Amino acid sequence: MRRAALSAQNISSVRSLTSTEDVVALLKTTAPFQQASEDALRRIAALARRESYAPGDVLYRLGDAADDLYIMVSGRVDHALGTGSGARTLNQTMKPGDVFGWSALMKDQYRRLAQATCTERAELLRIDGHALVGLLEADPATGGAVLSRFSTLITQDFTLPEELVHVLSVAKRVEQVPLTRASMDDLVLLLKKTMPFQVVSDEMLRRVAKLSRRERYHPGEIIYRVGDQSDDIFIMVSGKVEHALGLGSGARTLNQTMNEGDVFGWAALLKDQPARLASTTCLEKAEVIRMAGNDLIRLFESDPATGDVVMSRFATMITRDFTLPEELAQVLKIPKRGEEAPPTGLGLTMYRMALWVKSPWPYLMVAGFGLFLAFWYLAVEVWQLPRFKEMPGITTVVKEWLNPDPTYGLSVYTSEYYQHIWVSVRRVAIAFLLATGLGVPLGLFLGWSRNFREYVFPVFETLRPIPILAWVPLAIIMFTGSETPVIYLTFLASFFATALNTMLGVESIDESYTRAAYCLGANKWQVFGHVIVPGAMPFIFTGLQISVGVAWFSLVAAEMVSGQYGLGYVINSSYMMVRYPTIVIGMVTLGAVGYTTSALVRIVGDYMMQWRVRELALGAR
Amino acid sequence: MASTFAVETRTRPPAAARGAIRIEDVVKIYDPDGAAVMAVDHCSLEIPAGEICMIVGPSGCGKTTLLNAIAGFHTITSGSIHLDGEMLCGPGKPKADPGADRIVVFQNGALFPWKTNLENVAFGPVVQGKMSKKEAHDKARAMMADAGLSGTEHNYPGEISSGVRRRVEIVRALMNDPSVLLFDEPYRALDSLTKSVMHEALLEIYYRNKVTIFFITHDLDEAIFLGHRIAVMTTRPCRPKKILEVDIPHPRDYSVLTSKRFRELMDETLGAVHEEAIKAFELGEKEG
Amino acid sequence: MSKGLQKVKGAVFGRGMLRAIVSIVVFLVLWELGSRSKQWVGFVMPWVGQVPAPTAVLAAWVELVGDAGYWQSWYMSFFRVLGGFLSAMAIGIPFGLAMAVSRNFKGVAFPVFEVLRPIPPLAWVPASIIFWPTQELSITFVTFLGAFYTVVINVLGGARSIDVRYYQAAQAMGASDWDIFRRIILPGTLPSIVVGAAVGMGITWEVVVAAEMISGGGSQSGGSGGGGLGFFIWNSYVGGSYEQIVVGMISIGIAGYICSEVLRKFGGIFTPWLRLR
Ligand SMILES: Nc1ncnc2c1ncn2[C@@H]1O[C@H](COP(=O)(O)OP(=O)(O)O)[C@@H](O)[C@H]1O
Ligand SMILES: [Mg+2]
């Protein structure tokens, strides 16, 4: 309340002795109070004090406490807004009838945004902001109208949406309309007419209708404001509502009029959007349906098939109105069948499991496997179809596999089984690590240095079209023993895949990243470490995935041709010795082990590239 | 907030201590496979320290080429470029050394997606060895807070909106206390509403830091709203065709867009640009 | 005209080409030195010392050019690659498209597909020999498997990458399901089918060579013909003519390269809209 700039002798502040009628008449000429009733104005007038100022007096300064609202009676006051305030015009001269100092009415705005200086001897009405807001809250009909006129006034002067967020809210008393059975049916009919619910079954609509409340609003009443909590979504039944989006919201059109069947307030369905992006004001006596966003989402979650459709229609609706993709990235609180969002906690996993079990996919999957296995069983063991009867049957294979005393010497109970697995895994691991250790640096340099690439890459490209397996005999000649040739072949396949993908990865890096790094003062090696290596990482890991795959691919071939141990050897030797069920055991084991190793590579990749995982999670919505 | 600005009302830029660029007779000929493409032809342009100079010209005319020459991303064929009297490139030194005194803000943004916003902003001082990692992070945090970017420090650039990304990128540049900021159509991919917010934010930063700004655009509203001067370039080879003074006083805000003077300047610029745009279109230029 | 000529000149005598020639020549010389190290220096280089020298390989090749058996091997391998590749395309594309179109079909078939996929194709060789009546068919089957997985995965990926707006646009213009399939899904997946075909072709060659080696050439006669290039290599190894091994390797390299190039040309014809402007 204390203003340092005002020394006591400069103010001649007198409690107004003139009649209340004069003040009421004056208020009537101002924009915000024009349409308020006599009665209300009288009460407002009772709050007003009259003050006069001499030229040069400063009423308030930027950053002072904002307590009071001013209305000009006579004279002139210069009003200068700060540059940071987002105002359209910085300097204005206030004339009789003008209102200023409305910071006093703003929520969370305790400081002045401008400086007001008297330039001609001025007389003013001064009203305590708190008291005024209290008064308006007590009479929502007048209050809503006055405050919305204030908002308009402020919007005219300001460009920044943040300012609007703060405009004061008056508690509103809303008229509830009870729902009867007949109106339930109406409701379903009405929902059917709205864009998001058009395609939903009547059954589901009835459940949606159960969540609804019906409310009536009067002209001038504000349903919600920018920044309010966004809990409910609204559907228009009758009347007109004006919907004004905040500037920062990225909307195509800021102002829209909502008519029957229109849906608004969908911020309630947005993930991470706890606040309203728009303000809505009733224009003509309106009836709306209102339901809690969270209830609706819970309903959708219980029936993902419908939920997905409705949500995607919501998304389309929102896209029509918005230009910013970021808004959309946040649409849909419903998790898309467990694909998105990093797994946080057991609860989420359980929840997803529950969702998955409710969807048709597990049953289809079971059906798929059932068909496959049944065909195998029937074709080989029951019908004994011509070619199939030579093949090992499923029961034979399973019995052999789980037999503590296997007929052909290999089952989960024999140590040899694990020895074969171990030998193959060891070979792949050595070859893979060697290929990564040599291939990644080679690829990085191939991509990074043009000179290096021009000298080395041609040889690389000449050797690459030769299938790895064509190297088998040469490998046997070149390396002594039986272990080295197998590892060499496995390595070779991985090496080409890794080096090539790493090189492509470096080439894929946008030149502006390296340029930006040089700009910011990095030297050549810092660019290499901070830009080239992490930038190529996604490609490197794609390469490593391929690399594991081809490692197993060539390992099997190499082991089949030469080798004393390993899963490829098991498969080939079982064929030679007519131990057919063991062939299948070898194949299935190979598939399982191969899958596990490539899953490991993927997990390591995700761990090392958090940035990418998060980016993709957002991109996939 | 607003009180941090002294209200200066002037059409000419304030005299800053550093950041004067002198481009003299610069020629750049690209020579892929012997087919010579002349991108910049005897271009001369002087930009006083602290000025916002907007470069406008048709696509493919050679604007980026000129910017790259200043930034030191490639060589020039002849001519010279000086920064505060010191030769960046010229006879005997065809390519400028890229450095933290001239920082580029790229068309599609170049925040490193694999670093968090904070690490991105702290990148310059850390690689230059001017600050320890901790000092750099502290300063970065403070600068981000100043620019209203608190809360995004530990996000990766891929997680924030494109408008916010541009702001982080500008903060990353300012961390190095550059004398010149080089913008290559930084707001092209943004929608017009976001753009308008970005413009005001940029001006706010400019009023606080007074760096020289070399800003390529082909959005004429943007050019007039931001610039002290606008250099309209010819179709390839690139050379200033016309230089317009924007005599609308700074600090500016959005009311400028609807002023009469703005319209007049728009007419004038449009006239100069349109002619070149037609030429470029007929040549079938693609984006460089 | 003159500009085009200049371009050709640039490509042939450009820095990149010169360096490529230098690099390959250096590679050959080092190889020669390494192979002949025993003769010349009296010291056997590890690894390379065992490999026949390029000049010896060339000499062996010149001899083989007149040999009908060698060309017969080319023919056999080509024949098998083509068989496996075409059947993989013929079965893989409809299978992939069916999964792309019907969510239910995908729900049934895809998990089984994914479980079988990690089993390397070559692990199927014995099972395939048992199942199919002729060795020719069993080699073709394994070859088919190699390309099949890649083709299907690419078709699925391609269908998934189609922009939803295309569907929406088509629906808005009143397209039927069949129209959408024919005019959007099919052309939309074509580019990735082409990519899948190229990758599949590479795998096909890998598999053919290996299958020929493992199954002993596919024809009972053995001999120098009939078995395909993979068997040609294996046979040369068994027969101890190491130069011929390298000739065989290079031949397969060339054959594979020709196939990929032809495929790329074909791909370009099918997807004209991807041509660079
Ligand atoms: N590295 C390059 N090699 C050959 N020509 C180039 C190269 N970079 C740009 N050009 C050509 O130079 C001209 C100017 O390009 P640029 O400076 O990118 O134009 P813009 O004004 O759109 O930024 C264009 O015709 C472009 O094709
Ligand atoms: Mg450009």
Side-chain angles (χ1 to χ4, degrees):
Chain A
M1 204 64 213
R2 273 273 52 89
R3 272 170 230 92
L6 286 179
S7 47
Q9 68 262 38
N10 281 347
I11 332 164
S12 48
S13 170
V14 259
R15 184 94 186 130
S16 165
L17 298 175
T18 39
S19 71
T20 317
E21 296 312 317
D22 288 350
V23 177
V24 169
L26 177 74
L27 285 175
K28 267 216 152 112
T29 63
T30 65
F33 297 108
Q34 234 159 45
Q35 286 187 342
S37 66
E38 284 280 332
D39 202 35
L41 288 178
R42 223 179 292 276
R43 264 174 281 141
I44 294 168
L47 296 174
R49 279 170 300 155
R50 222 168 162 137
E51 287 183 352
S52 53
Y53 292 86
D57 281 353
V58 177
L59 280 71
Y60 53 78
R61 286 212 162 81
L62 254 170
D64 283 354
D67 297 323
D68 295 349
L69 184 78
Y70 294 86
I71 299 164
M72 296 285 300
V73 181
S74 67
R76 281 196 199 295
V77 166
D78 195 36
H79 188 257
L81 276 153
T83 343
S85 64
R88 282 185 217 274
T89 341
L90 295 180
N91 291 300
Q92 279 182 304
T93 306
M94 295 292 164
K95 293 180 286 299
D98 284 347
V99 179
F100 62 94
W102 35 252
S103 300
L105 295 182
M106 286 171 121
K107 207 156 98 184
D108 305 331
Q109 179 67 52
Y110 310 108
R111 309 253 152 238
R112 293 293 179 195
L113 297 165
Q115 166 160 336
T117 320
C118 178
T119 50
E120 267 174 37
R121 179 149 204 94
E123 226 177 305
L124 291 109
L125 280 183
R126 181 167 174 170
I127 303 176
D128 183 82
H130 255 290
L132 181 60
V133 169
L135 203 87
L136 295 176
E137 273 176 353
D139 176 8
T142 316
V146 170
L147 282 172
S148 89
R149 289 179 144 257
F150 260 112
S151 318
T152 319
L153 196 84
I154 298 171
T155 332
Q156 275 168 4
D157 288 349
F158 281 75
T159 51
L160 283 192
E162 290 88 274
E163 304 302 325
L164 284 178
V165 174
H166 297 304
V167 180
L168 200 76
S169 73
V170 173
K172 48 187 181 280
R173 250 145 264 153
V174 175
E175 209 177 318
Q176 294 265 350
V177 186
L179 285 177
T180 61
R181 195 172 251 310
S183 65
M184 274 294 260
D185 290 338
D186 287 354
L187 218 59
V188 170
L189 279 180
L190 184 84
L191 284 172
K192 256 213 140 56
K193 276 190 237 159
T194 64
M195 149 96 183
F197 295 105
Q198 241 159 42
V199 288
V200 177
S201 69
D202 280 1
E203 216 270 4
M204 184 74 172
L205 285 180
R206 217 166 280 281
R207 286 164 65 192
V208 173
K210 282 213 187 85
L211 301 175
S212 312
R213 279 167 293 151
R214 234 171 147 139
E215 284 178 357
R216 231 174 247 141
Y217 288 89
H218 298 282
E221 270 181 353
I222 289 170
I223 304 176
Y224 56 77
R225 287 202 179 71
V226 172
D228 283 359
Q229 252 194 328
S230 55
D231 299 324
D232 294 354
I233 79 163
F234 296 83
I235 297 165
M236 294 290 298
V237 181
S238 65
K240 272 197 178 36
V241 164
E242 192 191 41
H243 186 257
L245 277 154
L247 258 178
S249 64
R252 283 185 217 273
T253 344
L254 294 180
N255 289 301
Q256 279 180 303
T257 308
M258 296 287 161
N259 293 310
E260 184 186 334
D262 284 345
V263 180
F264 61 93
W266 37 252
L269 298 178
L270 292 179
K271 203 156 107 183
D272 306 328
Q273 180 62 57
R276 292 292 179 196
L277 299 166
S279 301
T280 46
T281 318
C282 179
L283 295 177
E284 278 173 22
K285 196 172 165 70
E287 221 179 283
V288 301
I289 301 173
R290 172 172 190 163
M291 52 194 117
N294 282 335
D295 289 349
L296 198 60
I297 285 169
R298 224 164 294 132
L299 183 63
F300 290 158
E301 277 169 1
S302 70
D303 180 2
T306 316
D308 263 11
V309 175
V310 176
M311 284 315 238
S312 81
R313 290 183 80 101
F314 261 111
T316 316
M317 198 180 85
I318 299 172
T319 336
R320 271 198 324 223
D321 289 348
F322 279 75
T323 50
L324 285 190
E326 292 84 75
E327 305 300 325
L328 279 180
Q330 305 182 331
V331 179
L332 307 201
K333 278 178 184 165
I334 295 196
K336 279 270 188 178
R337 226 160 275 107
E339 288 166 20
E340 68 157 12
T344 49
L346 191 66
L348 192 67
T349 318
M350 292 306 292
Y351 167 75
R352 281 189 190 148
M353 285 295 285
L355 261 190
W356 193 65
V357 168
K358 273 184 219 149
S359 73
W361 312 124
Y363 309 105
L364 289 176
M365 190 176 105
V366 168
F369 284 120
L371 278 175
F372 174 72
L373 297 175
F375 179 75
W376 184 4
Y377 173 67
L378 292 173
V380 177
E381 288 169 74
V382 180
W383 301 327
Q384 307 216 338
L385 296 179
R387 300 297 315 171
F388 285 94
K389 65 171 184 256
E390 330 288 319
M391 305 292 290
I394 180 168
T395 51
T396 334
V397 171
V398 173
K399 268 188 216 144
E400 175 76 5
W401 201 2
L402 302 177
N403 193 345
D405 184 20
T407 327
Y408 301 115
L410 211 64
S411 77
V412 288
Y413 291 98
T414 60
S415 64
E416 269 147 89
Y417 179 63
Y418 298 101
Q419 202 169 351
H420 285 300
I421 296 178
W422 164 241
V423 168
S424 287
V425 168
R426 184 172 157 272
R427 285 170 178 160
V428 166
I430 294 176
F432 176 76
L433 292 178
L434 215 59
T436 310
L438 293 174
V440 170
L442 177 73
L444 286 174
F445 284 113
L446 278 176
W448 189 40
S449 156
R450 190 169 152 178
N451 285 333
F452 187 69
R453 178 171 60 240
E454 280 179 345
Y455 281 120
V456 175
F457 196 56
V459 175
F460 191 87
E461 274 301 88
T462 316
L463 294 179
R464 209 166 54 91
I466 300 174
I468 302 305
L469 301 173
W471 285 84
V472 171
L474 204 62
I476 300 174
I477 298 167
M478 280 164 71
F479 301 98
T480 47
S482 63
E483 195 65 10
T484 334
V486 173
I487 292 179
Y488 172 71
L489 286 170
T490 313
F491 156 80
L492 206 58
S494 297
F495 175 72
F496 279 121
T498 307
L500 191 72
N501 275 284
T502 307
M503 186 185 94
L504 291 179
V506 177
E507 283 176 352
S508 79
I509 298 173
D510 192 332
E511 205 178 10
S512 30
Y513 293 135
T514 42
R515 285 180 166 178
Y518 280 123
C519 251
L520 294 166
N523 62 33
K524 217 172 156 149
W525 287 102
Q526 284 170 330
V527 170
F528 187 75
H530 287 282
V531 179
I532 303 294
V533 175
M537 209 54 104
F539 273 72
I540 294 178
F541 272 94
T542 311
L544 292 183
Q545 287 267 305
I546 299 175
S547 159
V548 189
V550 295
W552 282 104
F553 179 97
S554 19
L555 178 83
V556 171
E559 283 179 345
M560 285 173 99
V561 176
S562 77
Q564 310 292 314
Y565 264 103
L567 292 167
Y569 171 77
V570 167
I571 294 172
N572 203 36
S573 61
S574 305
Y575 166 66
M576 301 287 191
M577 290 183 261
V578 205
R579 298 166 173 174
Y580 290 175
T582 313
I583 296 181
V584 181
I585 295 177
M587 287 169 65
V588 174
T589 310
L590 201 51
V593 179
Y595 180 81
T596 313
T597 49
S598 78
L600 276 178
V601 173
R602 193 172 52 234
I603 291 169
V604 172
D606 283 353
Y607 178 76
M608 287 180 66
M609 296 184 295
Q610 274 304 308
W611 57 277
R612 200 166 162 79
V613 174
R614 291 210 219 161
E615 207 175 286
L616 292 179
L618 265 181
R621 245 192 275 153
Chain B
M1 42 194 290
S3 55
T4 48
F5 307 124
V7 179
E8 304 175 65
T9 307
R10 53 205 305 176
T11 54
R12 291 306 309 150
R18 59 211 169 93
I21 303 175
R22 199 167 78 239
I23 301 169
E24 252 172 330
D25 263 345
V26 168
V27 176
K28 170 71 186 178
I29 298 172
Y30 284 112
D31 193 19
D33 314 326
V37 176
M38 190 178 227
V40 179
D41 178 21
H42 295 284
C43 170
S44 297
L45 185 64
E46 206 157 314
I47 304 172
E51 182 182 86
I52 304 179
C53 183
M54 307 298 288
I55 311 293
V56 176
S59 286
C61 82
K63 306 179 295 294
T64 302
T65 306
L66 194 58
L67 180 138
N68 286 350
I70 302 173
F73 296 151
H74 58 47
T75 59
I76 55 174
T77 312
S78 70
S80 66
I81 300 175
H82 289 78
L83 175 64
D84 293 327
E86 217 168 289
M87 191 177 80
L88 292 174
C89 55
K93 184 167 183 265
K95 183 173 158 299
D97 299 318
D101 52 344
R102 291 151 281 140
I103 298 189
V104 179
V105 177
F106 293 87
Q107 181 172 316
N108 296 314
L111 284 181
F112 306 125
W114 45 86
K115 289 184 186 290
T116 61
N117 292 333
L118 188 69
E119 287 167 343
N120 262 295
V121 173
F123 184 80
V126 170
V127 291
Q128 291 163 37
K130 284 207 305 219
M131 289 184 198
S132 72
K133 201 164 181 169
K134 185 169 174 311
E135 285 167 347
H137 279 205
D138 287 344
K139 184 172 176 205
R141 211 169 279 122
M143 289 197 63
M144 287 177 77
D146 272 354
L149 293 167
S150 298
T152 62
E153 291 99 336
H154 298 294
N155 284 118
Y156 288 103
E159 296 177 290
I160 55 177
S161 73
S162 44
V164 178
R165 268 203 297 266
R166 292 310 138 88
R167 272 161 50 192
V168 175
E169 202 173 348
I170 293 173
V171 174
R172 178 174 79 171
L174 291 172
M175 264 297 271
N176 299 283
D177 194 20
S179 12
V180 184
L181 284 181
L182 303 160
F183 289 85
D184 192 354
E185 301 187 45
Y187 303 144
R188 189 159 94 169
L190 304 185
D191 66 290
S192 58
L193 282 166
T194 312
K195 227 188 209 176
S196 67
V197 176
M198 300 305 295
H199 288 158
E200 287 192 328
L202 178 64
L203 280 184
E204 192 168 318
I205 285 169
Y206 170 77
Y207 296 142
R208 245 195 304 224
N209 295 276
K210 306 292 186 215
V211 285
T212 307
I213 292 181
F214 180 96
F215 194 116
I216 297 178
T217 178
H218 43 224
D219 176 345
L220 298 185
D221 279 331
E222 179 171 270
I224 301 171
F225 180 65
L226 293 176
H228 290 106
R229 279 195 307 164
I230 301 172
V232 177
M233 301 304 216
T234 57
T235 311
R236 207 186 69 208
C238 170
R239 181 175 348 119
K241 170 192 169 108
K242 183 167 187 178
I243 293 181
L244 285 117
E245 294 277 342
V246 182
D247 49 6
I248 299 173
H250 276 272
R252 296 179 191 163
D253 60 55
Y254 254 70
S255 60
V256 164
L257 284 182
T258 47
S259 69
K260 183 157 153 280
R261 185 64 194 136
F262 187 90
R263 288 292 125 207
E264 288 165 7
L265 284 164
M266 187 65 156
D267 278 349
E268 217 174 314
T269 324
L270 202 58
V273 172
H274 192 61
E275 208 177 298
E276 294 302 320
I278 289 174
K279 271 190 225 157
F281 185 77
E282 280 165 358
L283 280 173
E285 282 291 355
K286 277 211 286 187
E287 270 314 309
Chain C
M1 174 68 211
S2 76
K3 209 171 174 184
L5 209 65
Q6 231 172 21
K7 238 182 177 162
V8 171
K9 250 166 88 179
V12 175
F13 300 108
R15 190 175 71 156
M17 197 62 189
L18 282 178
R19 288 186 170 183
I21 292 169
V22 168
S23 115
I24 288 174
V25 167
V26 168
F27 172 73
L28 289 174
V29 168
L30 286 179
W31 175 11
E32 183 83 30
L33 286 177
S35 312
R36 299 202 184 273
S37 56
K38 192 175 172 199
Q39 278 159 265
W40 292 349
V41 205
F43 155 80
V44 184
M45 292 275 283
W47 310 340
V48 195
Q50 311 293 342
V51 180
T55 45
V57 171
L58 196 66
W61 206 346
V62 170
E63 255 172 60
L64 278 175
V65 167
D67 181 6
Y70 169 69
W71 295 111
Q72 177 71 13
S73 304
W74 272 76
Y75 170 75
M76 286 305 294
S77 289
F78 256 116
F79 187 75
R80 287 173 185 146
V81 163
L82 214 62
F85 177 76
L86 289 181
S87 48
M89 297 290 281
I91 298 173
I93 294 175
F95 183 70
L97 285 176
M99 286 206 281
V101 171
S102 157
R103 296 223 289 181
N104 287 338
F105 181 64
K106 189 176 168 192
V108 172
F110 194 62
V112 178
F113 177 83
E114 278 298 275
V115 162
L116 292 179
R117 196 157 68 99
I119 303 175
L122 291 172
W124 286 87
V125 168
S128 173
I129 296 174
I130 300 169
F131 184 78
W132 297 98
T134 67
Q135 280 211 330
E136 204 53 55
L137 275 176
S138 63
I139 292 180
T140 309
F141 174 72
V142 176
T143 317
F144 154 81
L145 269 187
F148 177 72
Y149 294 123
T150 314
V151 170
V152 172
I153 287 295
N154 273 279
V155 172
L156 271 180
R160 200 173 23 202
S161 70
I162 298 175
D163 197 325
V164 262
R165 281 175 300 182
Y166 298 163
Y167 295 109
Q168 289 167 347
Q171 264 163 359
M173 289 184 270
S176 66
D177 284 352
W178 168 243
D179 286 331
I180 287 182
F181 175 77
R182 204 166 63 103
R183 306 205 185 267
I184 292 175
I185 298 184
L186 213 50
T189 38
L190 254 181
S192 53
I193 291 179
V194 170
V195 172
V199 178
M201 179 58 92
I203 299 178
T204 312
W205 272 102
E206 295 267 355
V207 177
V208 163
V209 170
E212 284 173 351
M213 278 196 245
I214 295 166
S215 64
S219 76
Q220 307 306 331
S221 63
S224 64
L229 286 169
F231 184 68
F232 175 83
I233 294 176
W234 188 247
N235 209 32
S236 309
Y237 164 67
V238 176
S241 50
Y242 292 173
E243 288 81 12
Q244 284 195 11
I245 296 179
V246 182
V247 172
M249 287 169 65
I250 298 174
S251 306
I252 295 174
I254 294 173
Y257 184 76
I258 293 174
C259 285
S260 311
E261 280 304 297
V262 169
L263 210 60
R264 198 168 304 161
K265 284 268 150 26
F266 260 109
I269 294 172
F270 283 124
T271 51
W273 64 91
L274 291 185
R275 235 177 268 146
L276 284 177
R277 283 153 293 262

